[in-house]
Amino acid sequence: MLTFYNELHAQHRGRHEFFRGELKPCFEKPERVDSVLAELGRRGLGRIVTPQGVPLMSLERVHTPRYLHFLRHAWADWLALDPANADKDAFPAVWPVRSLRSDIEPDNFCAKLGLYSMDSGTPLTAGTWTAAKTGADCAVNAAHALRLGERSAFVLSRPPGHHAGADFYGGYCFLNNAALAAQHMLDDGARRVAILDLDYHHGNGTQSIFYHRNDVLFISIHADPRYEYPFYLGHADEKGVGAGQGCNLNLPLPAGSSAASWFSALETACIRLGSFAPDALVVSLGVDTFAGDPLSRFALQSADYLRIGERLAYLNLPTAFIFEGGYAVKELGTNVVNVLEGYETAL
């Protein structure tokens, strides 16, 4: 399995995040990727590949030019407010909710932060654009490798991507790597692509990007948004609209769900994938479903991730795995690589 590794991921290193009303050290940190990379090396699984850079027009297939322009210049604009901001991460403090307008971009940078973000828990740092853009390069390269005949590929990058929408960031995510991979496959000749999101949190950004379309099937198994982030999307009645009707399947699970319940949802997802008959599969691989994860209320154990990989292998589809969430750093490498090993050894 080819592993497209973002060597610049650590340039995005948030100092703090707002979590449940407190300023705390970031859960999303460089050590997450380091843990996975070390485990790949220990098992000798996966050939590490450095991605080729992709043009901005490839990102514009998913993200709006206005949003990309904001991200590229955000840190310079933050420093222009006050050079002392170099020692601070940028956080939004105001948002254009409901009756407020979002079509006009404010001149005020602090207002721009709110326009393009969905929460106050995602620090924007000096290296955010570099890390996120290189991660997007990895995703597009992985998609292209599948179209060239590779059976599978793994994108090892951070920050993650599935909460990022066409024109907003949040949930630690800035560019939607899964969406970029799927769109590149379509642009490269695929008729239909499926995205399976296994992260504990619903992939609201991915859903919103493809919600009106019938060439991408989006399926997400996640914590019920009535009690868990992102709260405002991910319910079972969200099935797509217009041409996309029936191409969105959410499988929310209650707090404390067992591994048996989770695997039952996975089987439902796999059956739907089979009926959609995609040309390729993108897996948003979050392993914060682990029982020991500090942000999870599910009960999967490390051995369960081998079973996940094995089940996905039997779909017999070219598959791109995109690293998303997972915050139990000690076990993170084992859990992620178990999925990949389960996949590689199943057939």
Side-chain angles (χ1 to χ4, degrees):
M1 181 182 295
L2 297 179
T3 293
F4 290 88
Y5 171 54
N6 180 356
E7 297 178 348
L8 303 179
H9 74 90
Q11 291 198 27
H12 173 74
R13 182 187 291 268
R15 295 171 175 84
H16 299 93
E17 65 176 86
F18 286 97
F19 181 70
R20 296 172 185 169
E22 296 183 74
L23 197 61
K24 293 191 172 185
C26 291
F27 289 102
E28 204 293 293
K29 52 190 176 182
E31 289 79 5
R32 299 175 60 246
V33 161
D34 297 342
S35 173
V36 178
L37 186 64
E39 186 65 16
L40 286 171
R42 190 184 72 79
R43 298 194 206 181
L45 181 68
R47 179 163 64 88
I48 304 299
V49 179
T50 300
Q52 298 294 314
V54 301
L56 279 178
M57 68 176 63
S58 295
L59 275 60
E60 290 174 357
R61 298 291 292 141
V62 166
H63 295 285
T64 66
R66 189 175 80 161
Y67 173 62
L68 293 172
H69 183 269
F70 162 78
L71 273 186
R72 291 173 65 197
H73 298 279
W75 190 252
D77 291 345
W78 178 236
L79 295 183
L81 292 179
D82 184 346
N85 283 344
D87 297 323
K88 306 172 186 175
D89 294 337
F91 288 98
V94 60
W95 291 267
V97 299
R98 285 178 275 285
S99 62
L100 303 181
R101 293 182 66 173
S102 60
D103 59 317
I104 298 176
E105 184 182 68
D107 294 331
N108 183 290
F109 177 73
C110 294
K112 288 182 184 180
L113 281 173
L115 178 66
Y116 294 115
S117 69
M118 62 177 281
D119 62 38
S120 61
T122 306
L124 196 152
T125 78
T128 296
W129 170 253
T130 298
K133 170 59 169 62
T134 309
D137 295 342
C138 289
V140 172
N141 277 246
H144 193 63
L146 297 190
R147 296 296 294 163
L148 291 177
E150 292 290 333
R151 175 173 175 259
S152 61
F154 175 45
V155 172
L156 180 55
S157 180
R158 53 169 292 282
H162 72 148
H163 292 304
D167 61 355
F168 63 85
Y169 69 91
Y172 311 144
C173 304
F174 296 89
L175 296 174
N176 196 308
N177 297 323
L180 287 163
Q183 184 61 56
H184 182 79
M185 291 178 193
L186 294 168
D187 292 342
D188 209 22
R191 296 175 303 108
R192 293 193 287 186
V193 175
I195 301 174
L196 176 61
D197 195 316
L198 304 181
D199 196 276
Y200 175 73
H201 304 92
H202 177 254
N204 61 285
T206 314
Q207 172 174 310
S208 66
I209 288 167
F210 296 112
Y211 202 60
H212 294 76
R213 292 169 52 174
N214 60 9
D215 54 353
V216 176
L217 171 67
F218 176 69
I219 303 177
S220 180
I221 306 170
H222 54 271
D224 193 321
R226 289 176 296 179
Y227 72 86
E228 191 55 83
Y229 188 93
F231 301 114
Y232 310 113
L233 209 64
H235 298 281
D237 64 349
E238 298 160 11
K239 301 181 184 298
V241 296
Q245 179 66 37
C247 291
N248 196 88
L249 175 61
N250 286 325
L251 299 167
L253 298 174
S257 287
S258 65
S261 296
W262 193 92
F263 276 97
S264 178
L266 178 62
E267 194 60 32
T268 298
C270 289
I271 291 170
R272 179 68 183 97
L273 280 166
S275 65
F276 185 70
D279 295 324
L281 174 65
V282 176
V283 178
S284 276
L285 183 56
V287 295
D288 42 0
T289 48
F290 179 58
D293 196 281
L295 300 183
S296 175
R297 297 168 69 185
F298 284 177
L300 271 65
Q301 302 296 326
S302 291
D304 290 321
Y305 294 100
L306 286 164
R307 294 174 56 199
I308 293 171
E310 179 180 9
R311 182 62 184 92
L312 297 181
Y314 280 97
L315 293 171
N316 198 28
L317 291 168
T319 302
F321 294 91
I322 314 291
F323 183 46
E324 301 281 7
Y327 307 97
V329 175
K330 181 180 178 182
E331 299 87 359
L332 184 59
T334 296
N335 295 341
V336 170
V337 180
N338 275 358
V339 175
L340 305 180
E341 184 172 304
Y343 181 91
E344 287 284 271
T345 59
L347 298 177

